[in-house]
Amino acid sequence: MKLLQRSLAARITASLLAISAMALISIAVTTWIASGSRGDAATINWAGSLRMNTYQVVTALQRYQHQPDAAQRQHVADMMERFTERLGNPQPIDSLRISEKHPIRTHYQQLERHWQNQLAPRIAATIDDDAEIDPLLSELERQVDDIDQMVSLLEQHSYTKLQRLATLQLFFLALTAVVVAIALYDIRHHLVRPLRQLVVLARETSRHNFNHRSHLQGDDELALLGRALDSMAEELGTSYAELQDRVSRKKQELARSNAAMQILHDGSRALYGGGNDLCTSAAPMLRRLEELLEIGPIGLSLHDPFDHREVPILVTHSPSRPAYCRDHDCNACLIDPSPEIFTAEGREGLERLLLPVSVGTTLLGTLEVYYSADLGLTDSTRRLLNALSDQLATAVYLQRRIEQQQQVTLMNERTIIARELHDSLAQSLSYLKIQVARLERMQSKGLSREDQAPVFDELRTGLDSAYRQLRELLTTFRLRFDSPGLQSSLSQTVAEFSERLGFAVEFDFDVPPQLLNPNEEIHVLQIVREALANILKHARAHWARISVRFVEAHLRVVIEDDGVGLESDTSPPMHHGLVIMRDRADTLGGNLQVRRRDVGGTLVALDFTPQTARLIAQQTA
């Protein structure tokens, strides 16, 4: 009892338990009454089926009265047997759980005796002796009235249960309302009011007013909490001054860290945008960090991956230029006119911190930082130095990657140029060499000028073709790309030949970006230029169109015109342009078609699978 008086939680818990107990009791009673009413509906349905069976017997008798044959007699017997079986089943009445003297059970027993002793024998005698049926039908009508009376008793029985359930629910509802009212009164006076006082105390404390007190009385939890908060407010008042002093020191340290981060940010622009001179871009940033953080000197050495040695790059407060300096006009690493030279003897009282300059598991160099042993390094300073080492590592790594990429790009360009010279000009020169050998053999045999004339014509044609291919290659490699990719170079080619042809060449391009490698782009561009050159020289066309589309992992390039067209779908003899175009298509692993258009003119179609699409198909397989 004393616990209930002192503990607010215990009182609230007791109120909740009381409400829960009444709710459980109400639910249990409701469940008990509901379980007792489980068979009421089935019993009412059973009584209704008795009434329906009685009407079925009446109907069978009426049919027998009009047609007294054996089939109708058997039908009446079946209906009687069904009614007798359904009436003789006491389970629906037993499911009501009523006593033997209950009016429903008494009425049921009377109904059963009347049927068994009177009606059933009379119906059987009537159909056996062909007696008068009308009096029997009247008896069956009275039996229907008796069944209706039993249904009324069943409904009254169910209604009584529902009234009893409603009365119990009202009783428990009123009892619950009384308990809730008592609980609300207790909560208002012992929970809400103390909470308001505690909120006022908390609000005043948040305003740095530590003199306010709650003055709560009593022995419950909130009263104990109020006295504890009063004591806490007093302790906060004494410690607040100490915290203000610490905050001011933290502000100074934060301002210094902010300034250091600004230096790192400004230095990142010089590191990533100052070319490959690491000394010029990093030395001013390191000097500013030394002045701000009161550390130094700072040295940076890079790791040579070939002979695994450390190469000094820069050292602040250095009296001499680094051994591997590449710019003697730069004085970023050198000391001021009146410096404090940190020699080996001058570094007494200093401690050294070594930080790895690395990207992932790759060691790029080492950052050497000296600092005063008396002052030491704070955690924020160590974090800033770690950020500095990461920034230097990123700059060194990007510089090396750019140099490697430049070398790879240069090698790729040289490879493409060599391949183009081999696929075009070298083949033409080889052909000319063969023709020269033929001419030498003819001259050694003493053949006439007329016999040598075809060879001279082939040499002249080959030289013209080689010269034209050389000009095409020079034009291709002199193209300036406003944006990288095949579309830019094709657009320039279309603009060039539109001007030379005297009409606008239609251009349709639908290819995802970065689909082709540089070698494939050059081959496609050369095939398009060769086809346009043929249109310019031979077609006498007034319309031309170029379509480049990527469909179902295939790149299809179509060049068509409305000119005079080819005599047949085969290449003309000794037409070096078409031969080289077919060689380029074979190099791409594709198919080149040159044929007449159905509406006139020539159609050149290139179809191949780009290397990227081929790789994707292989990975999928």
Side-chain angles (χ1 to χ4, degrees):
M1 192 66 181
K2 292 182 178 180
L3 178 62
L4 290 176
Q5 293 177 355
R6 294 181 179 179
S7 175
L8 179 62
R11 293 199 298 271
I12 296 176
T13 302
S15 300
L16 293 176
L17 289 176
I19 296 172
S20 301
M22 287 183 290
L24 290 175
I25 293 172
S26 175
I27 293 172
V29 172
T30 302
T31 304
W32 177 71
I33 295 176
S35 63
S37 302
R38 186 177 303 170
D40 291 357
T43 305
I44 293 174
N45 290 335
W46 168 78
S49 66
L50 290 177
R51 179 170 51 192
M52 182 187 65
N53 291 142
T54 303
Y55 283 127
Q56 290 176 348
V57 173
V58 171
T59 303
L61 287 173
Q62 290 176 348
R63 289 180 178 177
Y64 177 76
Q65 184 178 10
H66 293 87
Q67 187 178 356
D69 54 8
Q72 295 298 332
R73 183 183 295 108
Q74 183 62 35
H75 182 62
V76 173
D78 292 340
M79 292 297 102
M80 289 175 56
E81 183 178 357
R82 182 182 301 177
F83 182 82
T84 303
E85 182 180 356
R86 188 176 297 274
L87 181 62
N89 183 17
Q91 183 178 358
I93 300 298
D94 294 339
S95 64
L96 298 178
R97 300 177 185 177
I98 56 179
S99 62
E100 293 294 333
K101 298 181 179 180
H102 196 276
I104 295 177
R105 188 177 294 275
T106 302
H107 191 84
Y108 165 72
Q109 293 173 353
Q110 292 176 358
L111 184 64
E112 184 180 14
R113 286 194 300 269
H114 181 69
W115 169 261
Q116 295 290 346
N117 298 330
Q118 297 182 17
L119 285 179
R122 289 181 60 187
I123 294 174
T126 300
I127 62 177
D128 290 339
D129 300 337
D130 295 332
E132 185 66 28
I133 295 177
D134 291 337
L136 189 57
L137 295 177
S138 300
E139 289 292 332
L140 289 174
E141 291 292 337
R142 284 193 293 272
Q143 178 174 294
V144 170
D145 296 336
D146 294 337
I147 293 173
D148 290 339
Q149 186 178 359
M150 186 175 66
V151 171
S152 300
L153 293 175
L154 291 173
E155 292 176 351
Q156 183 64 32
H157 178 69
S158 298
Y159 181 71
T160 302
K161 291 181 180 179
L162 293 177
Q163 282 186 329
R164 189 183 308 162
L165 178 60
T167 302
L168 289 173
Q169 291 291 338
L170 291 175
F171 171 74
F172 284 112
L173 180 62
L175 189 60
T176 303
V178 173
V179 175
V180 169
I182 296 173
L184 289 177
Y185 177 83
D186 186 54
I187 289 173
R188 177 180 177 81
H189 288 81
H190 296 91
L191 178 63
V192 177
R193 289 180 180 177
L195 280 177
R196 289 177 180 174
Q197 296 179 6
L198 293 176
V199 169
V200 173
L201 175 61
R203 184 169 58 248
E204 294 297 326
T205 303
S206 65
R207 296 174 180 174
H208 301 163
N209 179 17
F210 302 106
N211 297 321
H212 185 79
R213 300 292 182 267
S214 63
H215 302 293
L216 291 178
Q217 303 296 327
D219 296 328
D220 57 11
E221 292 86 348
L222 290 181
L224 295 176
L225 179 61
R227 289 192 288 270
L229 290 178
D230 291 342
S231 176
M232 186 185 301
E234 184 177 358
E235 294 177 0
L236 286 175
T238 57
S239 61
Y240 184 70
E242 299 177 0
L243 289 176
Q244 283 184 330
D245 183 56
R246 293 176 59 185
V247 167
S248 62
R249 293 197 299 268
K250 289 293 183 181
K251 284 183 178 180
Q252 295 176 359
E253 185 177 354
L254 182 60
R256 187 173 64 174
S257 299
N258 189 22
M261 293 300 296
Q262 185 63 39
I263 293 174
L264 292 177
H265 178 265
D266 296 338
S268 64
R269 298 181 179 179
L271 285 174
Y272 303 144
N276 57 358
D277 193 351
L278 186 62
C279 180
T280 304
S281 57
M285 176 180 64
L286 297 181
R287 285 180 178 274
R288 293 174 62 188
L289 286 176
E290 287 179 347
E291 296 177 1
L292 181 64
L293 302 178
E294 299 178 357
I295 57 176
I298 301 176
L300 175 64
S301 300
L302 295 183
H303 181 71
D304 192 345
F306 299 101
D307 54 6
H308 302 287
R309 63 189 179 95
E310 298 293 330
V311 180
I313 298 299
L314 65 92
V315 178
T316 59
H317 302 286
S318 175
S320 61
R321 192 179 300 277
Y324 297 94
C325 182
R326 294 180 292 180
D327 187 4
H328 282 258
D329 294 331
C330 172
N331 299 319
C333 298
L334 301 181
I335 56 178
D336 297 332
S338 57
E340 179 183 357
I341 301 176
F342 289 92
T343 61
E345 294 79 7
R347 292 179 180 176
E348 296 180 358
L350 297 180
E351 293 186 3
R352 186 178 66 167
L353 175 65
L354 290 178
L355 296 174
V357 179
S358 60
V359 175
T361 58
T362 304
L363 180 63
L364 302 176
T366 304
L367 185 66
E368 186 180 27
V369 181
Y370 287 89
Y371 60 95
S372 174
D374 297 333
L375 297 178
L377 291 177
T378 62
D379 293 338
S380 60
T381 302
R382 290 182 181 272
R383 288 192 294 269
L384 289 172
L385 293 176
N386 288 327
L388 173 63
S389 65
D390 293 340
Q391 193 172 17
L392 293 174
T394 304
V396 173
Y397 179 76
L398 290 178
Q399 177 181 334
R400 292 183 178 180
R401 291 292 297 172
I402 291 173
E403 293 175 354
Q404 294 175 359
Q405 189 64 33
Q406 290 174 349
Q407 294 177 358
V408 172
T409 303
L410 180 60
M411 296 303 297
N412 289 335
E413 290 179 354
R414 291 178 177 176
T415 302
I416 293 172
I417 293 173
R419 182 61 179 270
E420 285 299 312
L421 291 174
H422 173 270
D423 292 345
S424 58
L425 191 59
Q427 293 182 7
S428 298
L429 293 177
S430 298
Y431 173 77
L432 292 176
K433 185 177 180 181
I434 295 173
Q435 299 302 324
V436 169
R438 287 181 58 196
L439 183 61
E440 289 177 349
R441 286 197 299 270
M442 288 181 177
Q443 290 179 354
S444 63
K445 292 179 180 180
L447 297 178
S448 64
R449 183 75 176 179
E450 289 78 8
D451 294 332
Q452 298 179 12
V455 179
F456 281 108
D457 293 338
E458 292 178 1
L459 283 173
R460 187 179 298 106
T461 302
L463 285 174
D464 292 340
S465 176
Y467 182 67
R468 180 177 56 81
Q469 292 174 11
L470 178 60
R471 286 186 302 170
E472 289 293 333
L473 286 176
L474 292 177
T475 302
T476 299
F477 290 120
R478 286 175 179 173
L479 286 176
R480 293 183 301 175
F481 299 104
D482 297 333
S483 60
L486 180 63
Q487 184 176 8
S488 176
S489 57
L490 286 178
S491 298
Q492 295 184 31
T493 300
V494 168
E496 174 191 346
F497 278 91
S498 296
E499 182 178 357
R500 295 170 64 182
L501 289 168
F503 59 85
V505 178
E506 296 182 6
F507 181 49
D508 182 16
F509 189 90
D510 186 8
V511 178
Q514 300 178 355
L515 178 69
L516 305 179
N517 57 39
N519 188 41
E520 292 172 335
E521 290 182 356
I522 288 295
H523 282 302
V524 173
L525 178 61
Q526 289 286 43
I527 290 175
V528 172
R529 292 186 66 86
E530 180 66 30
L532 290 175
N534 290 334
I535 295 174
L536 176 64
K537 293 179 180 179
H538 309 295
R540 298 196 299 272
H542 299 86
W543 171 85
R545 182 175 182 268
I546 300 174
S547 174
V548 184
R549 289 184 172 274
F550 183 70
V551 181
E552 296 182 356
H554 286 265
L555 186 72
R556 183 168 178 83
V557 183
V558 178
I559 306 100
E560 50 186 337
D561 63 83
D562 62 349
V564 296
L566 298 173
E567 295 180 359
S568 63
D569 288 342
T570 59
S571 299
M574 302 304 295
H575 197 301
H576 301 284
L578 293 180
V579 173
I580 292 176
M581 288 168 65
R582 294 188 186 277
D583 291 339
R584 291 183 183 277
D586 293 338
T587 302
L588 293 173
N591 181 32
L592 182 71
Q593 295 182 1
V594 181
R595 60 179 177 84
R596 292 177 58 87
R597 296 173 67 236
D598 297 336
V599 295
T602 307
L603 182 141
V604 180
L606 171 65
D607 191 354
F608 72 98
T609 300
Q611 184 67 26
T612 53
R614 193 178 300 117
L615 291 176
I616 292 173
Q618 292 176 358
Q619 292 175 0
T620 303

